[in-house]
Amino acid sequence: MKRKRVDVNLKELDQIIDHAREVPLSESESDKLKEALHALAGLLPVPRSTEKTSAVLPPSDPPEQQAKEKAKGHGRNGASSYTGAKKVAVPHPTLHSGDHCPGCEKGKVYPQKEPRTLVRIVGQAPLAATVYELDRLRCNLCGEVFTAPEPEGIGPEKYDETTAAMIALLKYGSGMPFYRLEKLESLLGIPLPASTQWEIAEEAAETIKAARDELIRQAAQGEVLHNDDTSMRVLRLAREPSDDRTGVFTSGIVSTQEGRRIALYFTGRQHAGENLRDVLEHRTTGLARPLQMCDALSRNTPKLTDGAEILLALCLAHGRRQFVEVAANFPEPCRYVLETLGDVYKYDAQARQAKLSPWERLQLHQQHSGPLMEQLHEWLEAQFALKQVEPNSGLGKAITYLLRHWKGLTAFLREAGAPLDNNICERALKRAVLHRKN
């Protein structure tokens, strides 16, 4: 759809805005201002929900030459997907294994390997309450009152462990604020003030501190440690008198080892590198140097104690993002970079599908991704050497970023198990971002 041409006179717009301070706008003035604002909004870039090359740049081949990908379907979830569901075995009311077939009356019936499954879903409140009415009897002569005993298994506490677990999952796992849960439970007839929820969660946190400390200890033994941080909002946070920093951050640390993952979150005034340093203090002496994956910000790199070492790998997705952001202005150079990095990611996907060991994956990247990255490096240097790109332009800054951090960005070509990017940690931090938005 062709955009309507709008002639904008800045002096006239200034007069309309000044006039609006004294009297309401006329219909013609309102229309003029609205057209100017809509024209300005039309010039703004459309926000992207993905950084795929196909979404950032127009296709290089004519539409008829492009292979059409089969659209992914939206199939229903099978019964095996409901891993948290209660399972009920329903025996046949009349037939048993070995009985004569009622159909042909000649054969015998035997159990099938897979039963027929039915899935039924019911709604329920996140927190439910039960009121026990204990019968009381009073003697009309002596006045003594006899109360029925409490049912077995109800426990002495009003709020049991499952209450604390559900509140913590909703608040810290799904980002539901206390006040929102309070309103929901109130509508369902279960009063649960936000202050009470906090007290329950706080008491439970004290109980599971030992588990948290053990997770930190185990995370410190990881082979690869991803870290990053994001800003956070805290209403009131105690600060050391010597600390003059005012920012508050949530650091995410994801430790991986032999396919297992441990995610840690730290909220306070320390940056991701400082929190990673504190975690690594629990690392067992004598273990091999761990790999650290992060972006190129200096605050993500820990200042380790004497004798401690770490292998640094930098996030290739951050380097790629530099070109995504300027692709609209420099389409062809950015296309070359994005497609080259896309091929590297394809080889990494092949390694995952084939379930290669870290050493086998390293050999695959050295054989196939190594030549691609070498050609890319030569192309990047040639852009400046041949004066094809202005260093201070958006493209020039993107190229400079890759060249400056090339060693860390290509760690996957030298170190077995080094990941390509820090996406796993960025995904983990989305939980913190959800809290900040709520």
Side-chain angles (χ1 to χ4, degrees):
M1 180 178 175
K2 189 175 181 181
R3 188 181 293 120
K4 179 183 176 182
R5 177 180 176 85
V6 178
D7 294 324
V8 178
N9 187 316
L10 293 179
K11 185 176 180 180
E12 182 181 359
L13 292 179
D14 289 340
Q15 291 175 351
I16 292 175
I17 294 173
D18 293 338
H19 184 61
R21 295 176 180 175
E22 302 175 0
V23 295
L25 294 176
S26 65
E27 185 174 351
S28 61
E29 290 174 332
S30 176
D31 292 341
K32 188 71 174 178
L33 187 59
K34 187 183 295 184
E35 286 184 354
L37 289 174
H38 286 192
L40 177 61
L43 297 175
L44 297 176
V46 179
R48 289 187 301 268
S49 59
T50 176
E51 293 183 356
K52 291 183 178 179
T53 304
S54 58
V56 173
L57 294 168
S60 57
D61 299 328
E64 61 273 9
Q65 295 181 6
Q66 297 177 32
K68 292 185 178 180
E69 294 185 4
K70 185 178 180 181
K72 294 183 179 180
H74 299 279
R76 298 177 180 178
N77 290 318
S80 59
S81 301
Y82 296 87
T83 56
K86 177 183 177 181
K87 295 186 178 181
V88 179
V90 182
H92 198 282
T94 59
L95 293 177
H96 303 84
S97 179
D99 289 352
H100 288 286
C101 173
C104 67
E105 299 182 351
K106 295 180 180 180
K108 295 183 178 181
V109 295
Y110 293 99
Q112 296 290 292
K113 184 177 181 181
E114 295 293 337
R116 182 192 173 193
T117 56
L118 297 174
V119 178
R120 298 294 183 264
I121 300 175
V122 298
Q124 61 184 28
L127 296 168
T130 302
V131 178
Y132 295 93
E133 297 180 346
L134 306 182
D135 197 12
R136 297 199 302 169
L137 302 171
R138 180 179 180 275
C139 176
N140 66 347
L141 183 62
C142 68
E144 185 176 354
V145 177
F146 300 89
T147 305
E150 297 178 1
E152 293 184 4
I154 65 172
E157 302 294 335
K158 180 178 181 180
Y159 304 102
D160 70 357
E161 297 83 0
T162 61
T163 303
M166 180 57 68
I167 291 174
L169 282 173
L170 291 173
K171 167 65 177 176
Y172 303 105
S174 301
M176 176 178 278
F178 288 140
Y179 76 88
R180 195 172 296 167
L181 179 57
E182 176 185 354
K183 290 182 178 180
L184 173 61
E185 288 294 324
S186 177
L187 292 173
L188 297 172
I190 310 294
L192 189 65
S195 57
T196 302
Q197 296 176 51
W198 164 249
E199 291 170 358
I200 295 172
E202 184 181 29
E203 183 179 352
E206 289 293 328
T207 305
I208 62 175
K209 272 187 176 179
R212 179 206 63 181
D213 294 340
E214 176 60 19
L215 285 174
I216 292 175
R217 189 196 68 79
Q218 291 189 23
Q221 321 307 318
E223 298 169 348
V224 181
L225 292 102
H226 303 249
N227 72 318
D228 201 357
D229 58 19
T230 185
S231 59
M232 184 49 61
R233 297 173 182 173
V234 178
L235 296 179
R236 185 171 62 251
L237 183 65
R239 180 169 55 185
E240 296 293 333
S242 59
D243 189 0
D244 57 354
R245 290 185 287 188
T246 58
V248 179
F249 305 90
T250 291
S251 298
I253 298 175
V254 179
S255 173
T256 63
Q257 184 177 19
E258 298 178 353
R260 295 175 296 173
R261 298 176 180 176
I262 298 176
L264 305 174
Y265 297 89
F266 302 91
T267 297
R269 303 202 183 276
Q270 290 196 151
H271 291 298
E274 296 168 311
N275 287 314
L276 180 59
R277 174 203 61 201
D278 294 343
V279 169
L280 287 175
E281 289 179 355
H282 298 84
R283 189 173 180 84
T284 303
T285 305
L287 288 180
R289 294 181 297 174
L291 275 163
Q292 181 200 357
M293 166 52 70
C294 62
D295 58 46
L297 285 176
S298 59
R299 69 189 192 188
N300 289 333
T301 307
K303 295 179 175 60
L304 301 175
T305 56
D306 294 341
E309 294 184 65
I310 199 168
L311 295 171
L312 181 63
L314 297 181
C315 177
L316 195 60
H318 274 76
R320 181 184 182 278
R321 193 169 298 144
Q322 308 291 320
F323 292 87
V324 169
E325 293 173 352
V326 299
N329 298 325
F330 306 93
E332 292 311 313
C334 291
R335 183 187 302 278
Y336 172 72
V337 176
L338 296 179
E339 290 180 349
T340 300
L341 297 180
D343 290 339
V344 173
Y345 272 88
K346 288 178 183 177
Y347 289 124
D348 202 58
Q350 291 177 11
R352 286 196 303 273
Q353 292 172 358
K355 298 181 180 180
L356 301 184
S357 67
W359 177 249
E360 291 172 333
R361 172 180 173 271
L362 175 61
Q363 291 180 314
L364 177 70
H365 275 303
Q366 288 177 339
Q367 180 181 357
H368 298 286
S369 302
L372 290 175
M373 295 301 288
E374 182 61 30
Q375 293 174 12
L376 178 60
H377 189 264
E378 294 175 357
W379 181 88
L380 294 171
E381 290 185 325
Q383 301 309 299
F384 288 153
L386 301 177
K387 298 184 178 180
Q388 300 290 324
V389 176
E390 168 60 41
N392 291 326
S393 66
L395 179 59
K397 292 178 181 179
I399 292 175
T400 300
Y401 182 94
L402 286 189
L403 291 175
R404 181 182 299 163
H405 304 293
W406 190 257
K407 181 179 179 181
L409 294 170
T410 56
F412 68 95
L413 296 174
R414 299 184 303 276
E415 303 295 338
L420 296 185
D421 53 47
N422 201 30
N423 290 350
I424 181 177
C425 190
E426 292 188 4
R427 288 194 295 269
L429 278 175
K430 286 183 178 180
R431 294 186 182 273
V433 174
L434 185 63
H435 284 289
R436 188 177 65 218
K437 289 182 177 180
N438 284 336

